[in-house]
Amino acid sequence: MLPEMLSRIVDTRVNDPAAIAAAAARRVRATSLLGEHGKAMIIAADHPARGANGVGGDPHAMANRFELLDRLCTALERPGVTGVLATADILEDLLLLGVLDGKSVFGSMNRAGLAGSAFEIDDRFTGYDAETIAAMGFDGGKMLTRIALDDPVTPSALSETARAVNELNDLSLIAMVEPFISVWQDGRIRNDLSTDAVIKSVTIASGLGRRSSHTWLKLPVVDDMERVLASSTLPALLLGGEVTDPDAAFASWGKALKQPTAQGLVVGRSLLYPSNGDVAGAVDKAVSLL
């Protein structure tokens, strides 16, 4: 990314912050959440706000904002990429860079469950709210929903997710719910990625809120995705997560995308920070699965 582009972002934030709202107002919105291939390809970049800056062996990979923006711009310009998911600070930078025209945009809503914290399940809504997502002309909001049966904070977390689902549905905006059955192990939260646990998380998340007409699910790809995706009629986007074996990951994504409720991919670190450094190549390979 050119230094003058970065300087322009900082200068605008200092001297003309109203330019962010103006950029949102003139942005050309996507005509559909799905691309020409009939599936969504959304780039996720909301990890830093939860303190999750690591990728692979580098614990600070996503901490360099200028580099992250450069990688995001590369990914968003690739054919077949339909949208982006991020927090306000990142989406506003992308608005100022003018790279969100024709893309679907999703605001990340709850980020207080900081990675590795003792209060990780208590994932309060410290990011976007439904009102602001609507005001910015975005397409929906995403909420991470960890369900820990041995943590007494879980009912509050579910209640807050249901409230956000209600508010987004009332505004005809997508409520993207990312559920996990989670457990405490050795002082840390671990997500249970067994097929049965993911199915349980799907059935719980599908029932949150007084309406579900605009609720979508964001789900990890695990063994027997046919069973997982048969546990709800809600549209599902497949979570990429951090990938250690790219070939195996791409093969599993491609197989899961054949299920009728699978509407596309939401992938972040594995495409923005591929092991070979080729962001464009990683994104193009993922798009080819669609």
Side-chain angles (χ1 to χ4, degrees):
M1 181 172 293
L2 297 177
E4 57 265 28
M5 295 174 67
L6 299 174
S7 296
R8 190 175 77 235
I9 291 175
V10 177
D11 181 69
T12 300
R13 285 187 173 277
V14 172
N15 298 302
D16 188 18
I20 294 170
R26 66 173 177 268
R27 182 179 73 89
V28 178
R29 298 185 61 174
T31 56
S32 170
L33 295 177
L34 308 178
E36 294 180 356
H37 35 57
K39 301 286 186 182
M41 178 69 248
I42 299 168
I43 306 298
D46 61 342
H47 313 79
R50 211 170 63 83
N53 292 311
V55 181
D58 184 355
H60 308 295
M62 297 189 78
N64 186 319
R65 182 53 53 87
F66 297 154
E67 181 181 348
L68 174 58
L69 290 172
D70 186 46
R71 290 170 181 265
L72 278 167
C73 288
T74 298
L76 287 168
E77 70 182 7
R78 302 308 300 169
V81 172
T82 63
V84 64
L85 159 66
T87 46
D89 54 332
I90 293 175
L91 290 181
E92 290 172 359
D93 285 345
L94 295 174
L95 281 169
L96 292 175
L97 290 169
V99 296
L100 296 184
D101 282 350
K103 306 297 183 184
S104 59
V105 182
F106 295 88
S108 188
M109 301 178 75
N110 59 328
R111 297 283 83 189
L114 303 182
S117 68
F119 50 85
E120 193 164 346
I121 293 298
D122 191 7
D123 204 352
R124 302 181 190 185
F125 283 64
T126 56
Y128 275 109
D129 56 25
E131 180 182 7
T132 303
I133 290 170
M136 295 293 284
F138 296 159
D139 298 274
K142 171 252 183 176
M143 58 223 73
L144 176 61
T145 307
R146 292 184 168 176
I147 304 160
L149 301 181
D150 57 353
D151 193 313
V153 177
T154 294
S156 295
L158 291 174
S159 177
E160 287 298 292
T161 295
R163 178 184 58 80
V165 167
N166 289 338
E167 292 174 354
L168 289 164
N169 271 267
D170 287 349
L171 293 168
S172 298
L173 297 170
I174 297 297
M176 188 189 300
V177 184
E178 180 183 3
F180 291 97
I181 298 295
S182 303
V183 295
W184 284 102
Q185 291 181 349
D186 301 322
R188 296 181 66 87
I189 280 290
R190 307 292 183 188
N191 295 329
D192 186 343
L193 298 181
S194 66
T195 302
D196 288 343
V198 176
I199 289 173
K200 180 182 286 188
S201 76
V202 168
T203 60
I204 293 170
S206 298
L208 293 174
R210 59 176 175 256
R211 291 193 182 100
S212 66
S213 58
H214 287 76
T215 302
W216 289 38
L217 300 173
K218 180 173 180 265
L219 302 175
V221 177
V222 298
D223 292 336
D224 203 354
M225 282 303 289
E226 184 174 357
R227 283 182 59 213
V228 171
L229 293 171
S231 60
S232 174
T233 57
L234 297 184
L237 296 166
L238 305 180
L239 164 66
E242 190 166 356
V243 170
T244 55
D245 184 342
D247 290 337
F250 282 107
S252 63
W253 296 350
K255 183 178 179 181
L257 283 166
K258 296 177 182 178
Q259 300 305 311
T261 54
Q263 299 303 305
L265 296 167
V266 181
V267 190
R269 288 172 289 187
S270 60
L271 298 185
L272 293 173
Y273 297 85
S275 58
N276 63 2
D278 183 5
V279 176
V283 172
D284 290 349
K285 185 174 182 179
V287 169
S288 72
L289 299 175
L290 306 179

